[in-house]
Amino acid sequence: MQATALSPRSLRLPSRLLRAAPDERLVAALRRGDEKAFEEIYDRHHRPLLGFCRHMLGSHEEAEDALQHVFVSAHRHLCQGGAHINLKPWLYTIARNRCLSVLRARRETLALDDVHEASSEGLAVADEVELGEELKEMLGDIARLPDDQRAALVLAELGDLSQQEIAATLDVRTDKVKALIFQAREALAGWRQARVVSCREICEQLATLNGSALRRAPIRRHVALCPACAGFEVEVQRQRAAYSLLLPVIPSVALKHSVLTAALSAGHGAAAASAGGAAAAGVAGAGAGASGLTVKALMVAALAVGAGGGVVTVRELDQPRPVRRSAAKPPARTPAAAAVAVRVFSPPAGERRLGIVAGSQQRAAKFDTLGRAT
C-alpha cells in the first residue's frame, strides 16, 4: 500500500476547536504547521501583553514595537523547538526581557533623573473620559517604580497570571513576588503622600539636615515632584559650597607658641602659689598639734640630746622665746619634724615646758621605749 502524504490543510483544526483548545494544543498544532493556531495564540494573549509592555515602557508606540518583537521571537522558537513550554508565563518572560532592553538603551541616552511625562495614549479609559489629575499622577508614579517592582505590580493587576506564574516570569521565588508587590504599593503611597506634605516643612529639613538624612524617601520624593523645593535645595547646596571656602581661618605660625607659653606660665605660677599656701598651712597645723609621726621624731631627738645630758624643749612657733644653747651638740632636724622648732637650752626656773629633761642614760632608754609606743 502506498502511504498518502497529509497536506498542511488536513492538519489544521477547525476554528471552533482552536478557540476552545488549551495553550498546549495550540502549541502542538503550530509545530505541526497550523498557522491558524499561532493566530489564535496572538488573539488570546496580545492584549494583556500589550498592557504589560505599555506600563513597563510608558509609551504606546514602544509597547507595540515590543509586542511585535515578542510574537516574532515566540513563533521562531516554537517552530524550531520541541520542548514543553508553559506558554503564558513564557510569553511574558520574552516581553519583560524586551522591555528591559529598551529601558537600558533609553537610560544610556537620558539623564538618570529624567522620567517620561505621564501620557494616556493608548489607554482604554482615555478613549471614554478625560483622565483626572489623580489618575495622571498615579500613571507617572507607576513609571517611577523600579523595573522589577513595576513588573510584579502590573502582572498582578492584570489578573492574568498567578503568583507562581509571575515568579516564573520574573525568575524569582514566590515569596519574592509578594515582597515586590508590597514594595511597589508602598512606594505609590509614598509618592502620593509626598504631594500633600507642606513645602515649608520640606525646606526646613533641606536647610538643617546633612548627609544621609537628606536621602530620606519622603524628602527625595517631594523634591522630585516640587520644582520650588528642588530649586531651594540647589540654593542650599550653593550656599554650603561657598561657606566651605569662606569660613575656614588660617592661624599664624606663632599663635601656637604664644598660646602654650602663656598657658603654661600661668599654670606654673598658680602651682607655686598653691604650694606656698600648703606649706604655711602645714606649719600652722604643726604649731597647733603635732601628728603621731612628728611626736615620734621629737622623741628620737630628745633621746639623742638626753644621752649627752642636755635639755630638749618643744615650743609653739607663735610664741618664740630666747634661746640659750648648752654646750651639747644640737640634734639634727628630721624631715618629719620640719614644721616644729626643736631647740636645746637650759630653761630658766618657772618656764612652762612641753618637753622632757633627761639626765642619764637609764632615763634615755625609758624615753626610747615611750617614743616607740607613741
Side-chain angles (χ1 to χ4, degrees), residues 36-250:
K36 282 288 186 180
F38 182 75
E39 183 178 353
E40 179 60 29
I41 291 174
Y42 174 86
D43 291 340
R44 183 175 298 182
H45 297 291
H46 82 281
R47 288 181 66 87
L49 281 169
L50 178 63
F52 173 77
C53 294
R54 167 64 179 77
H55 289 291
M56 285 293 295
L57 299 174
S59 167
H60 186 72
E61 182 179 356
E62 289 181 330
E64 289 187 341
D65 291 340
L67 184 69
Q68 181 177 344
H69 173 87
V70 169
F71 279 101
V72 170
S73 178
H75 182 272
R76 182 174 65 253
H77 284 84
L78 289 175
C79 293
Q80 292 177 355
H84 173 74
I85 290 178
N86 190 356
L87 184 62
K88 185 166 62 175
W90 182 70
L91 290 174
Y92 278 105
T93 301
I94 299 175
R96 172 179 175 267
N97 292 337
R98 179 59 182 175
C99 290
L100 293 179
S101 298
V102 173
L103 291 173
R104 279 193 296 267
R106 179 192 297 170
R107 291 180 182 124
E108 291 177 357
T109 58
L110 296 177
L112 294 178
D113 294 336
D114 286 347
V115 178
H116 280 290
E117 186 178 353
S119 171
S120 60
E121 181 186 3
L123 299 180
V125 67
D127 296 336
E128 301 175 4
V129 295
E130 185 68 21
L131 280 179
E133 188 65 26
E134 185 174 354
L135 291 178
K136 289 182 179 179
E137 291 172 351
M138 186 174 182
L139 195 62
D141 294 342
I142 293 175
R144 293 185 181 91
L145 292 173
D147 297 338
D148 53 352
Q149 295 180 17
R150 183 165 65 254
L153 180 63
V154 172
L155 290 174
E157 289 300 324
L158 287 173
D160 199 35
L161 281 81
S162 64
Q163 288 193 355
Q164 290 75 17
E165 291 174 331
I166 295 175
T169 300
L170 302 180
D171 193 22
V172 297
R173 303 186 309 274
T174 303
D175 57 345
K176 178 65 173 178
V177 172
K178 297 178 181 179
L180 290 173
I181 295 174
F182 169 76
Q183 292 166 4
R185 296 193 186 282
E186 186 180 39
L188 291 178
W191 284 109
R192 185 173 183 274
Q193 181 63 28
R195 291 187 179 88
V196 299
V197 70
S198 169
C199 289
R200 181 177 180 83
E201 178 182 346
I202 295 296
C203 289
E204 288 178 352
Q205 296 185 62
L206 291 174
T208 56
L209 297 180
N210 286 288
S212 60
L214 287 173
R215 294 193 291 271
R216 295 173 183 170
I219 298 177
R220 302 274 32 102
R221 287 169 180 161
H222 182 89
V223 170
L225 297 174
C226 180
C229 292
F232 182 78
E233 182 182 34
V234 172
E235 173 61 18
V236 171
Q237 293 174 351
R238 186 195 66 80
Q239 292 178 11
R240 285 176 173 165
Y243 292 156
S244 65
L245 298 176
L246 296 176
L247 293 182
V249 177
I250 302 176

Side-chain angles (χ1 to χ4, degrees), residues 291-303 334 336 370-374:
S291 65
L293 292 176
T294 305
V295 172
K296 292 181 180 179
L298 293 177
M299 294 300 296
V300 174
L303 293 175
T334 60
L370 178 60
R372 284 195 297 268
T374 305

